Amino acid sequence: MHPFVESYLESVKRMLLACQGGSGVIGLDMGPSACRAVELRRKQGGFELVRWIIEPIEGVDEKAALLRMFEKLGPSVRTKSLVVSLSGKGTLIRHV
């Protein structure tokens, strides 16, 4: 397998393993028109979708949309792993 694909799959595996503690993981996708979030919790044999949120970006105020989304996620967001996706021209997969 190509090293790039191996690296990508290893990142996905680490993200999924973050769910094992029961606290779950939050996936965040920031696009040009909306911010989207999903909360996943590990369940026997797979994962459970706890909730999802779509917050439209009005004008060019991405920060306001992100803050509204985190308000909806509530204080429990501090105990979860966060996985982020960014879109845009020239955006590549980056490991942070």
Side-chain angles (χ1 to χ4, degrees), residues 8-77:
Y8 174 74
L9 292 176
E10 186 62 33
S11 296
V12 170
K13 182 179 175 182
R14 280 195 307 269
M15 186 270 304
L16 294 175
L17 289 174
C19 294
Q20 286 184 347
S23 64
V25 66
I26 293 177
L28 176 64
D29 175 53
M30 298 173 65
S33 61
C35 295
R36 293 165 286 278
V38 295
E39 183 178 348
L40 299 175
R41 185 178 324 149
R42 191 145 182 78
K43 200 169 183 178
Q44 187 174 3
F47 294 90
E48 173 185 28
L49 176 63
V50 178
R51 60 184 160 169
W52 55 275
I53 298 170
I54 299 175
E55 191 63 46
I57 296 174
E58 298 165 4
V60 293
D61 199 358
E62 298 93 356
K63 183 178 178 181
L66 193 57
L67 289 173
R68 285 192 307 268
M69 188 167 47
F70 278 115
E71 280 180 15
K72 290 178 182 179
L73 288 168
S76 68
V77 73

